[in-house]
Amino acid sequence: MDAREMKIKAAAEALTYVEDGMRLGIGTGSTAEEFVRLLAERVEGGLKIQGVPTSERTARLCLELGVPLKSLDELPELDLTIDGADEFDAALTLVKGGGGALLREKIVAAASTRMIVIADESKLVETLGAFPLPIEVNPFGLEATRISIEKAASRLGLSGELKLRRKGDEVFSTDGGHYILDASFGRIPDADALSGALHAIPGVVEHGLFIHMASLAILAGEAGVRTLEAN
């Protein structure tokens, strides 16, 4: 299977967890988009769900394909969120935000009774950190926030480039109007400690570490599809 086929396989398996009448958080990214396409086919066939998208990008695709949507204010409590991940470990601690939607993804996941991750097996790692950690920051005081992040990381024995994300010649802006600093730490041995340190910095809006949020991962690989439960 190529990469897209693996994403489709994982998305198809995730769809088996969606029940009629569910209030469903719908993730962002290439794997989540494959899930949306399959979900739209089920909706066309009569499945009744109400979806809450985690980004404007996902909302546009859902509307285009006929997946019914509500805002999180209209549905503040959700049954299930299905989303991808850029990287995760055996405890299902995730790194998310490669697509820039981490804040909304985390808000939606936190409002859900359960979160399921869909990915290909390459996203499962022994130790987080190979994928740069996205850190969503307020544009005001950007340099001061960057320095504070560097100092907090250093206290935890972490170092690496903090790169302001760009889209072409422009600074990338999230749906909420924030910037993203991608932190290339290499290894993140203590996600809880890093999470706490980043949340203590006033200019940090949110970060891409999703801790104790996902209960199940659906992994697709050359040998087929398997599931991994949080330990």
Side-chain angles (χ1 to χ4, degrees):
M1 291 188 289
D2 63 21
R4 187 181 177 209
E5 288 174 325
M6 290 184 189
K7 292 173 183 178
I8 293 171
K9 290 284 188 183
E13 179 64 22
L15 195 55
T16 66
Y17 291 84
V18 178
E19 299 175 2
D20 203 59
M22 269 190 167
R23 300 160 297 177
L24 186 65
I26 304 173
T28 296
S30 58
T31 308
E33 287 177 1
E34 299 298 348
F35 172 76
V36 170
R37 292 185 179 96
L38 295 177
L39 177 64
E41 293 177 5
R42 287 283 308 280
V43 168
E44 187 176 3
L47 178 70
K48 304 295 184 186
I49 60 98
Q50 296 180 91
V52 173
T54 56
S55 67
E56 300 301 326
R57 170 180 163 183
T58 295
R60 286 192 295 270
L61 181 61
C62 287
L63 291 173
E64 176 187 329
L65 297 179
V67 176
L69 296 182
K70 296 285 187 181
S71 70
L72 191 58
D73 286 328
E74 291 173 305
L75 292 179
E77 294 181 311
L78 305 176
D79 300 302
L80 173 66
T81 285
I82 293 178
D83 204 348
D86 298 302
E87 191 176 66
F88 58 95
D89 63 17
L92 299 193
T93 299
L94 320 174
V95 171
K96 289 180 54 56
L102 64 101
L103 175 60
R104 294 191 183 186
E105 287 174 331
K106 190 173 282 191
I107 291 171
V108 169
S112 303
T113 300
R114 192 181 192 198
M115 180 185 187
I116 294 177
V117 176
I118 49 177
D120 65 77
E121 285 197 322
S122 69
K123 304 296 175 65
L124 176 61
V125 298
E126 185 173 334
T127 304
L128 300 176
F131 190 93
L133 176 66
I135 305 171
E136 190 161 341
V137 298
N138 197 299
F140 178 81
L142 176 63
E143 183 61 14
T145 299
R146 186 190 65 78
I147 291 170
S148 293
I149 293 171
E150 285 183 341
K151 289 180 178 178
S154 179
R155 288 192 292 270
L156 294 172
L158 303 174
S159 62
E161 182 183 16
L162 289 177
K163 187 174 182 181
L164 180 64
R165 188 178 298 184
R166 294 184 175 274
K167 187 176 182 180
D169 295 331
E170 303 293 326
V171 176
F172 175 84
S173 182
T174 69
D175 287 343
H178 305 127
Y179 292 165
I180 289 181
L181 292 170
D182 289 305
S184 297
F185 293 133
R187 294 183 78 256
I188 302 174
D190 191 338
D192 285 285
L194 180 56
S195 173
L198 292 174
H199 278 148
I201 299 170
V204 172
V205 178
E206 192 48 86
H207 58 70
L209 289 168
F210 284 51
I211 303 171
H212 308 306
M213 300 189 85
S215 61
L216 183 74
I218 297 172
L219 308 177
E222 291 293 343
V225 175
R226 66 186 178 99
T227 59
L228 178 67
E229 293 189 29
N231 53 30

